[in-house]
Amino acid sequence: MQLLMDRIRKDGKIKAGNVLKVDSFLNHQMDIELFKEIGKEFKRRFADVEINKILTIEASGIGIACIVAQYFNVPVVFAKKTQTKNIAGEVYTSRVESYTHGRIYDIIVAKEFLGKGDKVLVIDDFLANGKALEGLTALIKESGAELVGAGIVIEKGFQVGGDIIRSSGIRLESLAIVDSMDEETGTIVFRNEEK
Ligand code: 5GP
């Protein structure tokens, strides 16, 4: 998605540890006009499949998922991050290793909001090593729902997540794939860029 690539190049900041900061339009301040274009693009890419629910993970995924959901006319469920021990009963749980925070946390979704018969599109802001997506996939599997696909705003193609998810047979659509980025020069190379 060229609009998004242009924006990343203009406003993205490359930080140590292969972290791309996009706080001015995606992760802190949110550009809703851009989010609308993102929503339209996901709708176009997943136009051939039936989706009745969008699943994301707090916090950064929520804003994006809510705008995207307006183009699918479906509810959004977000997995909550928790450090509560011994959660049982009415929730599905999975363990996720955080890329940006470097720690492990549990994610939960209440059983009443996900289950057999649901056709789920997962939406998230970034794909790095794929841990968040794997955690969400595990929750969906446990619930008996069907994972229709995953829509990612920015994939860091030089990290392993994309390969792992694609080779597991999940339909993955990333709107911008960063193949390399250089902290020194600020250069970003995108996969399949039109220009
Ligand atoms: P993964 O689980 O794929 O390793 O990492 C994905 C999660 O880590 C995303 O939900 C996102 O919040 C965060 N993340 C990973 N890499 C980056 C990055 O370069 N920039 C930002 N802002 N977040 C990232």
Side-chain angles (χ1 to χ4, degrees):
M1 185 181 172
Q2 195 60 49
L3 181 74
L4 177 63
M5 293 189 248
D6 291 344
R7 189 63 180 273
I8 295 168
R9 207 167 256 138
K10 180 168 160 275
D11 293 331
K13 297 197 170 26
I14 303 162
K15 300 288 178 189
N18 283 325
V19 170
L20 178 62
K21 276 242 169 203
V22 285
D23 279 2
S24 66
F25 61 95
L26 193 73
N27 287 141
H28 196 4
Q29 176 169 257
M30 297 183 280
D31 182 338
I32 302 304
E33 287 307 313
L34 177 66
F35 281 24
K36 286 195 220 165
E37 295 305 317
I38 287 170
K40 284 182 208 164
E41 182 62 17
F42 279 134
K43 178 65 189 169
R44 192 181 68 76
R45 294 192 188 201
F46 288 104
D48 59 317
V49 282
E50 196 189 325
I51 286 157
N52 78 326
K53 205 160 272 187
I54 286 177
L55 179 67
T56 189
I57 184 167
E58 69 177 0
S60 302
I62 298 174
I64 302 158
C66 287
I67 304 293
V68 173
Q70 292 183 307
Y71 296 89
F72 288 87
N73 294 308
V74 297
V76 174
V77 176
F78 65 90
K80 297 187 179 194
K81 293 176 181 170
T82 172
Q83 280 161 338
T84 316
K85 296 250 162 25
N86 304 320
I87 324 150
E90 296 309 303
V91 294
Y92 306 114
T93 72
S94 176
R95 191 144 278 199
V96 172
E97 195 185 316
S98 160
Y99 180 79
T100 37
H101 300 108
R103 55 183 162 79
I104 291 171
Y105 53 88
D106 291 310
I107 57 171
I108 61 165
V109 167
K111 287 185 178 170
E112 66 177 306
F113 302 128
L114 195 65
K116 210 167 180 307
D118 280 330
K119 296 176 188 309
V120 182
L121 173 65
V122 171
I123 294 288
D124 205 4
D125 58 345
F126 270 90
L127 176 61
N129 290 321
K131 301 293 182 191
L133 209 44
E134 278 176 356
L136 292 172
T137 305
L139 286 186
I140 293 168
K141 202 168 184 187
E142 192 191 344
S143 77
E146 182 191 340
L147 174 60
V148 173
I152 297 291
V153 179
I154 305 174
E155 174 181 336
K156 291 189 291 180
F158 54 88
Q159 289 177 280
V160 295
D163 286 347
I164 292 172
I165 299 298
R166 287 188 183 91
S167 65
S168 73
I170 294 167
R171 177 165 172 187
L172 173 63
E173 294 284 350
S174 300
L175 302 188
I177 303 179
V178 176
D179 266 342
S180 69
M181 54 187 201
D182 188 325
E183 195 191 340
E184 301 271 292
T185 60
T187 310
I188 300 176
V189 177
F190 292 103
R191 193 174 303 175
N192 303 330
E193 194 170 9
E194 288 151 21
K195 58 183 183 191

